[in-house]
């Protein structure tokens, strides 16, 4: 019918079954199942219908699709969109009339995106359906995550802005342990190790390391603790280490245990 709404068949259960049969076959070709939630699966359109085993035989750095390659596409009935957007529509949306209008991007309706939680635009695994401005705001969280990683700190599964999660002590790495570095589950563990196991390192150098890691830990706390325990002994030491008058004498007063 000429006045039939676009993509009307996308509301039918048959459309959902068709998509997931196609999606399941794609995952299976890469050795994955519908239950997979771990590593990313990056599938540009150029590889959409390729046999992974055949790709492996031909693979080289030069054969990788360029960064501006089109994303994997999905078409059904009279409508086509990205595979990621189709997945969140069939997986997350109730699929009623207004939901379809929003999905199609009609004016004066909320703009919705298929958001990649992993920030990998070709990934077809880690997807949520959310408001466009929230999706864009995640870029700030990505920058924060990169900062944490640059400081040898773990990246939380969620952030306080988009997926609140409890505060966890951060991992820290001792840069004085060579050639086999050592990591610690708490900043106190790292400091104890530095004080007691690396007496060959000048006190001024170790003091700067403690100050630097205290600043990193404080930033982590600010972003992810939602306040936390104000009397937390570790927090007291972190705050003290950031004072201008902080010295190696203050470190020794902590009486850190051997680690």
């Amino acid at each position: 019918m000429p006045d039939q709404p676009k993509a009307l068949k996308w509301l039918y259960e048959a459309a959902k079954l068709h998509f997931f049969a196609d999606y399941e076959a794609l995952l299976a070709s890469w050795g994955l199942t519908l239950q997979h939630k771990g590593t990313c699966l990056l599938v540009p359109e150029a590889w959409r219908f390729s046999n992974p085993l055949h790709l492996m035989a031909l693979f080289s750095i030069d054969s990788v699709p360029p960064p501006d390659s089109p994303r994997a596409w999905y078409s059904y009935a009279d409508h086509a969109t990205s595979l990621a957007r189709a997945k969140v529509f069939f997986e997350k949306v109730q699929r009623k009339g207004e939901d379809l209008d929003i999905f199609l991007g009609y004016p004066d309706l909320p703009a919705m995106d298929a958001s990649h939680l992993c920030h990998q635009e070709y990934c077809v695994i880690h997807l949520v359906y959310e408001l466009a401005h929230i999706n864009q705001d995640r870029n700030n969280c990505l920058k924060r995550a990169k900062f944490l990683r640059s400081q040898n700190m773990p990246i939380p599964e969620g952030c306080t802005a988009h997926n609140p999660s409890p505060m966890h002590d951060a991992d820290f790495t001792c840069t004085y342990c060579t050639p086999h570095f050592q990591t610690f589950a708490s900043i106190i563990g790292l400091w104890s190790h530095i004080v007691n196991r690396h007496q060959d390192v000048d006190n001024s150098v170790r003091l700067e390391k403690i100050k630097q890691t205290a600043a990193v830990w404080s930033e982590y706390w600010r972003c992810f603790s939602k306040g936390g325990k104000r009397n937390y002994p570790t927090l007291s030491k972190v705050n003290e280490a950031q004072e201008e008058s902080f010295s190696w004498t203050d470190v020794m007063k902590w009486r850190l245990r051997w680690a």
Side-chain angles (χ1 to χ4, degrees):
M1 297 176 63
D3 59 345
Q4 177 176 306
K6 181 181 179 181
L8 182 62
K9 290 186 177 180
W10 282 57
L11 296 176
Y12 300 164
E13 186 66 16
K16 180 177 181 179
L17 294 175
H18 184 278
F19 170 81
F20 278 106
D22 186 78
Y23 179 67
E24 185 174 17
L26 172 65
L27 296 184
S29 70
W30 291 89
L32 303 177
T33 68
L34 290 174
Q35 288 70 45
H36 178 76
K37 301 297 181 183
T39 53
C40 293
L41 174 59
L42 309 183
V43 184
E45 177 62 20
W47 290 359
R48 173 77 168 82
F49 301 103
S50 299
N51 183 320
L53 294 178
H54 181 62
L55 285 176
M56 289 175 63
L58 301 175
F59 183 80
S60 69
I61 295 299
D62 294 334
S63 69
V64 175
D68 59 348
S69 297
R71 302 180 186 185
W73 209 245
Y74 178 77
S75 177
Y76 181 78
D78 61 345
H79 183 62
T81 186
S82 69
L83 179 67
R85 192 166 178 83
K87 179 177 183 288
V88 294
F89 178 75
F90 289 117
E91 188 175 65
K92 308 293 185 181
V93 180
Q94 295 183 6
R95 304 197 328 278
K96 298 179 180 177
E98 185 179 21
D99 297 319
L100 180 62
D101 292 341
I102 293 174
F103 174 71
L104 295 175
Y106 284 124
D108 302 322
L109 291 174
M112 299 292 291
D113 284 349
S115 175
H116 293 79
L117 298 181
C118 55
H119 292 278
Q120 300 291 337
E121 62 178 316
Y122 297 113
C123 181
V124 296
I125 302 293
H126 309 113
L127 299 161
V128 295
Y129 193 56
E130 64 184 3
L131 291 168
H133 72 86
I134 295 179
N135 181 21
Q136 296 303 314
D137 189 53
R138 288 183 187 277
N139 291 329
N140 294 325
C141 298
L142 174 61
K143 294 177 182 177
R144 181 67 61 188
K146 288 182 176 179
F147 168 76
L148 294 175
R149 178 58 68 215
S150 71
Q151 300 298 324
N152 294 318
M153 300 176 69
I155 300 175
E157 292 184 5
C159 66
T160 54
H162 304 105
N163 184 19
S165 58
M167 170 71 175
H168 294 285
D169 285 339
D171 288 338
F172 284 89
T173 301
C174 176
T175 55
Y176 306 132
C177 290
T178 56
H180 306 293
F181 64 85
Q182 185 171 349
T183 59
F184 297 84
S186 72
I187 194 172
I188 295 299
L190 172 63
W191 289 347
S192 298
H193 175 84
I194 290 174
V195 170
N196 295 293
R197 293 294 181 92
H198 291 288
Q199 297 180 9
D200 57 317
V201 180
D202 189 86
N203 291 349
S204 62
V205 175
R206 289 187 289 171
L207 179 65
E208 287 305 311
K209 179 66 173 179
I210 290 175
K211 288 182 176 181
Q212 181 262 329
T213 51
V216 171
W217 196 97
S218 179
E219 177 69 6
Y220 186 89
W221 175 274
R222 183 186 69 81
C223 293
F224 299 106
S225 71
K226 296 189 292 186
K229 303 175 183 176
R230 292 301 176 186
N231 295 323
Y232 191 30
T234 297
L235 182 58
S236 298
K237 290 182 175 62
V238 167
N239 290 336
E240 184 180 357
Q242 295 180 88
E243 295 176 359
E244 188 174 346
S245 60
F246 184 67
S247 67
W248 188 254
T249 301
D250 297 316
V251 174
M252 299 309 294
K253 288 180 180 178
W254 287 346
R255 297 184 181 278
L256 297 171
R257 296 179 180 179
W258 187 276

